[in-house]
Amino acid sequence: MLPSIRPATRRLLALSSALVLVSGAIAPVTPAIAQTRPANTTQQGPASVADLAEGLLGAVVNISTSQNVKNEDKAPMPQVPEGSPFQDFFDEFFKGQGQDGNRPRTVNSLGSGFVIDPAGYIVTNNHVIDGADDIEANFADGSKLKAKLIGKDTKTDLALLKVEPKKPLTAVPFGDSRKMRIGDWVMAIGNPFGLGGTVTVGIVSARGRNINAGPYDNFIQTDAAINRGNSGGPLFNMYGEVIGINTAIISPSGGSIGIGFSVPTELAENVIKQLRDFGETRRGWLGVRIQPVTDDIAASLGMERPRGALVAGIITGGPVANGEIKTGDVIIRFDGKDVGEMRDLPRVVAESPVGKAVDVVVIRDGKEQTVKVTLGRLEDSEAAAAAGAEENPTVAPEEGQEQSDENAAPEDPPAVEMPADGRVLGMKLAELDDAARKKYGISEDVEGVVITEVKPGTAAAERRLKAGDVIVEVAQEAMTTPEDVLTRVDSLKSDGRRNALLMIANKTGELRFVTVRME
């Protein structure tokens, strides 16, 4: 039953009616027209999505979770006079505190999900069910079923649940998110703020968004209203196919401001399939360390434009440790898919099956080459790395930490006298001998030319090169002596190059590429 309208509200409504009537003097509306729609009148505004929504609501569920957490609140329980009307309230609210303040308490949360198989498989976000002790799926018809976690993936924030229905459930299919264009209509259905069964409509605002949520960010951005509780719910195209899983919003207030993000099905579908088949993900692994190809790096390599991923290192024991891919290669195409920028490569590799032999197109020595590699499994490499860290813990001294007197380093090794001011590209260099290794703590497996001094204000200083760094290569040629560096730099200048591409190793051997302007 609706509440009665207050007098002030009546006056406001009367004023509003008056405004409508005044506007009617400009565009008069007769009572006959207002009450009857002519038979030949067409619908105004966008086409209705009521039929589409009606067929999809039954496949969208509300996810309710509960978690037992330890109560660490040490605040004393308020003292309420005996017989106070609020005594029952305080007794219930603070039950379990006081003398037994560490008694666990239950925390509930709400989210969304959708059925992808009539047998009872449900997709949602991992953060919706993370840490839950009890998961329940609430359906549009009012029924409720306990859900079991089949598998989850923290890297894409996805999870797969299973319920045991007495009859087949209404399910929705995955669509191809790659076909969605900016401006296409989309519909979100979910459980915002626990309201359940809420339908909102908008468009695809952008594609391929990186919001630093994970290593495979490739979000669809939409202005369809997404709020707290929509997490895990589906984003549909106008054919009733799921093309995204609503995951995050940007909002200073916690409510929708028209900037929501969905995991596209081109990424999610394979993850969900692996969770269903194996209970875990099985991602491809190439075994390389990469960095972006900047404008300067592209110019130093003779590339027309920046593209691809620059290989900065090869993982020992990885799939390409035998030299199929080399440090300094720029990967521009992987298994038939273009690598437009660095962040594209981890995603396309992860989407590829473990053990698959794929063609990789690289730029090496200024020319495109195609090499074939067989992928390993990312999860195996992560497990091995974690086990190695536990078995062989190492503690490296912090940068700038002083050494004790008995371990004091010797004087700087004599730097080779260079022309003019004695520097190359603003740096003084020396051969990497035993004395230099001891002074800077450089690993035995690092080879190259050690930097002993960097002049402030030079191009090398701008690139944050410092004493103790090792120049391994200049323009993809190995360096052994300071004279090698000088000769290679002079050669690049003669060729009209403006930047020199340096492969730099730190004391542990970790590689990176920097471009230094040749003055």
Side-chain angles (χ1 to χ4, degrees), residues 42-383:
T42 59
Q43 178 179 332
Q44 302 298 312
S48 173
V49 295
D51 291 340
L52 179 63
E54 184 178 7
L56 301 175
L57 280 166
V60 181
V61 301
N62 303 336
I63 303 295
S64 174
T65 68
S66 62
Q67 179 182 8
N68 294 323
V69 297
K70 185 177 181 180
N71 186 0
E72 297 181 352
D73 188 0
K74 303 299 183 181
M77 186 175 72
Q79 299 299 314
V80 182
E82 189 70 26
S84 168
F86 299 106
Q87 183 173 4
D88 291 341
F89 168 77
F90 278 104
D91 288 346
E92 177 64 24
F93 186 81
F94 290 98
K95 181 171 60 178
Q97 298 192 24
Q99 298 297 325
D100 191 14
N102 291 327
R103 179 182 295 177
R105 59 188 176 89
T106 301
V107 175
N108 298 311
S109 63
L110 295 172
S112 304
F114 57 97
V115 180
I116 60 169
D117 189 317
Y121 286 95
I122 297 173
V123 174
T124 187
N125 279 145
N126 175 61
H127 76 259
V128 170
I129 52 85
D130 189 34
D133 297 308
D134 185 67
I135 307 172
E136 189 174 66
N138 306 313
F139 293 84
D141 61 4
S143 62
K144 300 179 180 181
L145 292 173
K146 295 291 184 181
K148 179 179 69 173
L149 177 63
I150 299 298
K152 62 181 182 178
D153 178 39
T154 58
K155 290 183 172 65
T156 56
D157 194 18
L158 296 174
L160 182 65
L161 309 176
K162 180 68 168 65
V163 296
E164 300 298 335
K166 295 181 179 179
K167 61 179 181 179
L169 301 175
T170 301
V172 288
F174 282 122
D176 189 351
S177 60
R178 290 167 292 194
K179 295 181 179 179
M180 299 301 294
R181 300 186 304 162
I182 295 174
D184 280 345
W185 288 100
V186 288
M187 173 192 293
I189 303 180
N191 181 31
F193 301 107
L195 294 173
T198 299
V199 178
T200 57
V201 176
I203 63 169
V204 173
S205 303
R207 292 182 43 128
R209 287 296 196 207
N210 178 13
I211 61 174
N212 297 316
Y216 309 121
D217 279 15
N218 188 32
F219 288 100
I220 296 172
Q221 180 183 328
T222 179
D223 65 350
I226 298 174
N227 290 283
R228 293 178 180 177
N230 273 107
S231 289
L235 187 69
F236 293 102
N237 61 19
M238 291 295 102
Y239 299 101
E241 300 168 331
V242 178
I243 50 88
I245 294 91
N246 301 322
T247 298
I249 61 173
I250 290 179
S251 172
S253 63
S256 174
I257 60 171
I259 304 178
F261 301 97
S262 302
V263 179
T265 54
E266 61 191 274
L267 175 62
E269 190 170 6
N270 188 49
V271 172
I272 296 302
K273 183 179 185 301
Q274 291 181 358
L275 294 179
R276 183 169 178 173
D277 293 344
F278 311 115
E280 60 184 357
T281 55
R282 298 186 178 183
R283 291 188 169 94
W285 177 51
L286 191 57
V288 297
R289 290 190 294 270
I290 56 176
Q291 69 179 71
V293 178
T294 63
D295 290 335
D296 290 340
I297 289 177
S300 66
L301 292 174
M303 299 172 61
E304 295 181 357
R305 58 183 175 85
R307 57 174 176 149
L310 178 62
V311 178
I314 307 296
I315 306 298
T316 302
V320 295
N322 293 328
E324 297 90 339
I325 293 178
K326 302 179 182 296
T327 301
D329 286 348
V330 177
I331 299 175
I332 60 173
R333 194 168 179 82
F334 182 90
D335 196 20
K337 301 174 182 176
D338 290 332
V339 180
E341 55 184 313
M342 183 192 73
R343 70 186 184 95
D344 293 338
L345 183 62
R347 187 173 63 251
V348 297
V349 172
E351 292 172 355
S352 301
V354 176
K356 181 180 181 181
V358 299
D359 289 332
V360 181
V361 180
V362 303
I363 295 178
R364 181 183 299 169
D365 299 327
K367 300 178 182 179
E368 289 189 13
Q369 300 183 29
T370 300
V371 297
K372 188 172 288 290
V373 301
T374 301
L375 298 180
R377 185 186 175 195
L378 177 62
E379 290 79 7
D380 291 342
S381 72
E382 293 173 339

